[in-house]
Amino acid sequence: MSLQRDDGIVLRAQKLGEADRIITMLTRDRGRLRLVAKGVRRTTSKFGARLEPFAHVDFQTFERENRALGMITQAETIVPYGGTIVADYARYTAGTAMLETAERLTEEGEPALQQYLLLLGALRALIGGEHAPGLVLDAFILRSLAIAGYAPSFRDCAGCGNEPAAGVPWRFFSLPAGGVVCPTCKPGGAAVPQQATVDLLGALLAGEWAIADASEPRHRREASGLVAAYLQWHLERGLRSLRLVER
């Protein structure tokens, strides 16, 4: 039996029985957790509203060795990101895709501090409004994949590692190879995105927001398609929430 305290971001809330919920949380110290929140669906619940998706909370759990799921006994709001996010469709759909990505790219009970900090920063950027929600989402997905060990290459050939010739960047894009490839490494069926699209993808991965913010809508759409395809390739199936994202 033990009491533990942590802070985390609520990724998902599922109904359990008549009044309870299972809360999926990405935490600072313990990675992704599934926890029971007793009675939170009752109108008299003291902290039910604090355990909605997007919420950043400080919480306490009670855990027993013979139980698969711990129980949330206290929860205090650190930042209620959900209020701002759910009020805007573009932010909401982008944010929902971020939460699903974070859940899919982490393992239950395995520390994932980098993913946690990345998601926290992405939620702040989303409500800050300085960048388009679609750009924030694509940057988050690319960086999440990089943290998970699937960093794409948008400059050197992902096949042989050769640098592009002076003034002639590689433009073929291969999902299996992991990014742009040279003509020698180009497999059949490789995509041929516009150079401005490849530049945008590189800027999103590197956090070069001046370049990303100045990009054209057509290049953003093409980049989003490649990001979604690259994520699906590594997850072996797509995200349900990506279909709803406003592009």
Side-chain angles (χ1 to χ4, degrees):
M1 246 187 263
S2 67
L3 287 173
Q4 297 199 52
R5 198 157 199 101
D6 204 342
D7 63 82
I9 301 162
V10 178
L11 303 180
R12 186 152 54 104
Q14 301 165 269
K15 291 181 180 179
L16 177 66
E18 295 183 358
D20 307 336
R21 279 189 177 138
I22 295 177
I23 306 297
T24 302
M25 190 105 64
L26 183 59
T27 70
R28 177 182 293 274
D29 297 327
R30 293 183 284 162
R32 176 163 56 84
L33 299 177
R34 294 173 71 242
L35 303 162
V36 174
K38 302 285 286 185
V40 293
R41 290 164 55 203
R42 296 194 183 102
T43 56
T44 55
S45 173
K46 295 180 180 179
F47 57 82
R50 303 169 195 167
L51 295 172
E52 296 292 335
F54 303 112
H56 183 204
V57 297
D58 176 272
F59 66 98
Q60 179 177 276
T61 59
F62 173 73
E63 299 177 28
R64 291 180 178 174
E65 291 184 7
N66 60 342
R67 289 191 178 179
L69 302 179
M71 184 185 303
I72 298 174
T73 57
Q74 292 180 15
E76 298 294 336
T77 301
I78 298 174
V79 183
Y81 291 110
T84 302
I85 291 174
V86 301
D88 179 84
Y89 182 79
R91 284 177 179 165
Y92 174 71
T93 54
T96 300
M98 287 180 198
L99 299 187
E100 189 178 354
T101 298
E103 183 174 0
R104 295 286 300 281
L105 288 175
T106 53
E107 297 292 333
E108 190 166 347
E110 294 293 326
L113 179 59
Q114 286 183 290
Q115 291 283 10
Y116 166 83
L117 294 175
L118 180 66
L119 179 58
L120 196 57
L123 293 177
R124 288 172 181 160
L126 199 59
I127 68 168
E130 294 181 15
H131 314 294
L135 292 178
V136 176
L137 169 61
D138 288 337
F140 173 78
I141 291 174
L142 289 172
R143 295 181 201 179
S144 290
L145 285 163
I147 290 172
Y150 308 123
S153 174
F154 298 121
R155 184 179 181 279
D156 298 345
C157 175
C160 63
N162 285 340
E163 296 182 3
V168 188
W170 308 133
R171 279 192 53 202
F172 303 110
F173 187 91
S174 168
L175 297 177
V180 295
V181 290
C182 66
T184 302
C185 296
K186 178 181 77 73
V192 189
Q194 297 180 64
Q195 185 56 48
T197 299
V198 177
D199 293 340
L200 170 58
L201 289 166
L204 291 172
L205 180 60
E208 297 171 343
W209 285 106
I211 296 174
D213 291 335
S215 61
E216 297 181 21
R218 60 196 175 105
H219 299 138
R220 295 183 186 186
R221 286 192 294 270
E222 187 176 34
S224 292
L226 291 173
V227 170
Y230 191 66
L231 178 65
Q232 181 173 341
W233 174 266
H234 287 290
L235 294 180
E236 298 183 349
R237 63 186 175 94
L239 296 185
R240 291 173 297 174
S241 52
L242 268 184
R243 289 175 248 163
L244 304 175
V245 173
E246 187 178 80
R247 295 297 188 182

